Amino acid sequence: MELNTIKPAAGAKHAKRRVGRGIGSGLGKTAGRGHKGQKSRAGGYHKVGFEGGQMPLQRRLPKRGFKSASLKYNAEITLADLEALGLDEVDLLALKQSKLVGEIAKVVKVIKTGELTKKVVLKGIGATAGAKAAIEAVGGSLA
């Protein structure tokens, strides 16, 4: 290989479209913009969703619902997850290290899905009423 022979791969480069450079180019005169109208003029365009003065779709539809921004900080684990974890003391850090909850989780709650046979002590972790009853039934507790 010589410095004077290197060139880009075939098809990697292509000529830019040169508009308004005469009839022969195929993009002369109106330069591919058609005739007249807002879109043919320099600087003439509208905002996203603009429908020519008609009430835009996003304003015709009713506002509905709400999605909390704090939901991403909430996580939940099941009784089956606690069983598989096999620790006798469980806190947020232990759950993050075992990858049962995401790294950004701040609030964790245990839900009643699956069975629990081992005694587990939860520290700083909430539980639903059913899950709490199941944990306390095997001798565990919530701290």
Side-chain angles (χ1 to χ4, degrees), residues 35-99:
H35 292 280
K36 295 187 184 173
Q38 189 177 21
K39 290 200 279 188
S40 73
R41 310 194 190 283
Y45 217 65
H46 52 78
K47 58 186 171 213
V48 175
F50 183 70
E51 297 183 18
Q54 173 176 292
M55 187 61 70
L57 183 67
Q58 77 270 20
R59 290 190 57 201
R60 287 194 302 252
L61 298 174
K63 294 200 285 187
R64 188 159 181 274
F66 168 77
K67 188 163 164 91
S68 173
S70 64
L71 275 178
K72 62 182 173 222
Y73 300 112
N74 296 347
E76 57 185 38
I77 58 167
T78 62
L79 290 174
D81 289 337
L82 282 179
E83 181 78 25
L85 192 59
L87 296 174
D88 48 352
E89 275 199 10
V90 178
D91 61 351
L92 187 58
L93 188 64
L95 293 174
K96 284 183 180 180
Q97 285 170 343
S98 62
K99 301 275 193 258

Side-chain angles (χ1 to χ4, degrees), residues 10-24:
K13 299 281 208 171
H14 53 87
K16 290 293 265 184
R17 184 169 74 154
R18 296 185 72 219
V19 296
R21 292 293 180 276
I23 298 169

